[in-house]
Amino acid sequence: MNLNDVTEHAGEWLRGQGPHSDIVLSSRVRLARNLAGFPFVDHADRRQRQEVLDRCRAAITAGQFGQDLLWVDLPSSPDLDRHLLVERHLISRQHAAGGPESPRAVAIGENETFAIMVNEEDHLRLQVLRSGMQLDEAYTQIDHLDDLLEAKLDLAYSSKWGYLTACPTNVGTGIRVSVMLHLPALRLTGEIEKVSRAARDMRLEIRGFFGEGSEALGDLFQISNKVTLGRTEQEILSDFQNVVVPQITAYEQQARQVLARQRPAQLDDKIWRAWGILTNARVLGAEEVLSLLSQLRLGVNLGRIQTVDIRTINELFLLTQTAHLQKMTGCLMDQGQRREARAQLIRRRLGAS
Amino acid sequence: MKRKCDKCNRPATIRMVEVIGGKKTEKHLCDLHAAELGGVAKDLHTPIDQLLTNFVKLHSGARAQQDLVCGHCGMSFSQFREDKLLGCPHCYSAFEPMLAPLMEQAHGGATHHVGKVPRRCGPDEDRQQLILRMRKRLDDAVRDEDYELAARLRDEIVRFEEKS
């Protein structure tokens, strides 16, 4: 497996399957771990970082992490590749941005279902991404990956504080559970503010498609836990399974029904205009596309449009991003060229060409 | 001109009126001193760096001379204050007196880990976690007024602790 192979399609997590996939785009679980006996990454010198990297690499590539494992050394990767990995949610912006002098890497599992960042803020950041509502499955997998690592590496841990992390906000379980939700109707009815407030009251964080600092483009919202200490992994997961996700999805469903009942013409107009622009435009900006795709996705989920499937739309959320367009075309493009290439790609994928 | 805090030179942001024994007094306080007096509801969602800054501002007078330093990596608590990241795993015990209250606030009052225990930690760690977890379930049961469950859990804990 190499990076060129993965570009044309989205990872497993955008497949558009799994429970509640009309609203829950994907489920993600992340664990933060550090090796005992080393300074944390930010405080380690180059030699120490290299030693951490070598040890982690030996543990990860020893064979039990699957046949089709891709190890990407980041300092020696071109900018475009690193940008591509950020767009695919396989590394963070911070991990992509580190200088050429800072030893760091990412190991990517088969079908991109998991990724292990080495030397990001913590020595190890494991993540498992799944499509739809599959937090249980994601946790089972990540717990297993964690066991495999732990069998080969001594992890920093104390009985009082749990897994020790560079930032005290991650200490304890080191777990970050998150779901990516598509909430167009709550946005249209203006109820999304209430959801944000309720989420914050539950000590949850609510962010956009590209995580920290990103706006909720395309009506995509990422909700994750903030508390990592004093609760078990199961308790944190069960909050999402039994409270957060069922309540927000029910609320979104309700808002969709209200829109369909009270303002059917306006709703259809929005959906069909989005279809009209996406299948005809010759020049399209990245942000505009995200909001049009969101309306189209709503149209498909409501059964208003049947000529395109959810998977195609999910993939377009990703493939229309800057680095993906350039990687697929095989050349660097300026903004004007990208806008043309984006419009062309969308017309082709939506069967309008 | 903006009114200054009664206790320091920062601008007053809170006006507090106290009635004690029928006598009314008015106080003008900055956000820090108001928080110290419990005059404002504690903000549950304060980000950790804000908590940190506030905490340190309040205690800087008393602690300035005795900045804590981690014996393993040389990181000082005041440096952590700026970076927001600790230097090494040992910093947790080196800075514990200063860190503990911060962590409690950041993690909704939590003071102990109750989740997964790495197998390499050995049986003693497991045991501790198990007991902690049982105690937490007991607390929850008492809070929910499920006394039958609470009694059962209490017996379980006693039996478990006797086994040592």
Side-chain angles (χ1 to χ4, degrees), chain A residues 131-144:
Chain A
S131 57
M133 182 60 189
Q134 294 197 65
L135 281 176
D136 256 343
E137 293 80 352
Y139 182 70
T140 305
Q141 187 181 357
I142 207 165
D143 190 37
H144 175 65

Side-chain angles (χ1 to χ4, degrees), chain A residues 7 13 27 57 59 82 101 105 131 148 155 159 170-171 199 203 225-226 228 232 249 252 261 264 270-271 320 333 342:
Chain A
T7 313
W13 62 281
S27 309
R57 180 177 187 160
R82 281 183 280 153
E101 295 298 301
S131 57
L148 290 177
L155 300 178
S159 55
N170 296 317
V171 82
R203 288 177 168 269
N225 66 303
K226 281 204 282 198
T228 53
T232 64
T249 49
E252 167 70 18
R261 207 170 46 238
K270 257 195 193 308
I271 293 165
T320 54
M333 295 184 280
R342 187 176 290 119

Side-chain angles (χ1 to χ4, degrees), chain A residues 16-46:
Chain A
Q17 292 174 356
H20 307 291
S21 56
D22 53 337
I23 292 172
V24 187
L25 230 75
S26 61
S27 309
R28 173 175 174 266
V29 179
R30 184 218 73 192
L31 296 178
R33 299 286 186 256
N34 287 278
L35 306 198
F38 288 91
F40 294 132
V41 180
D42 204 49
H43 207 62
D45 59 29
R46 195 182 170 171

Side-chain angles (χ1 to χ4, degrees), chain B residues 99-110:
Chain B
L99 267 182
L102 285 177
M103 308 237 281
E104 233 181 289
Q105 275 180 284
H107 293 284

Side-chain angles (χ1 to χ4, degrees), chain B residues 75-144:
Chain B
M75 173 77 116
S76 66
F77 191 76
S78 54
Q79 196 187 336
F80 161 64
R81 221 162 65 197
E82 277 177 27
D83 300 352
K84 320 284 189 266
L85 294 175
L86 292 163
C88 76
H90 189 75
C91 288
Y92 279 92
S93 43
F95 302 151
E96 181 153 350
M98 304 289 269
L99 267 182
L102 285 177
M103 308 237 281
E104 233 181 289
Q105 275 180 284
H107 293 284
T111 54
H112 279 88
H113 176 57
V114 292
K116 184 175 177 175
V117 177
R119 270 182 228 139
R120 289 210 184 187
C121 272
D124 281 342
E125 291 275 358
D126 271 338
R127 248 183 83 79
Q128 280 182 38
Q129 291 310 306
L130 205 58
I131 294 178
L132 274 169
R133 221 174 292 177
M134 286 162 85
R135 287 198 191 286
K136 187 163 179 289
R137 276 169 58 206
L138 172 62
D139 290 345
D140 289 349
V142 171
R143 194 198 55 219
D144 298 339

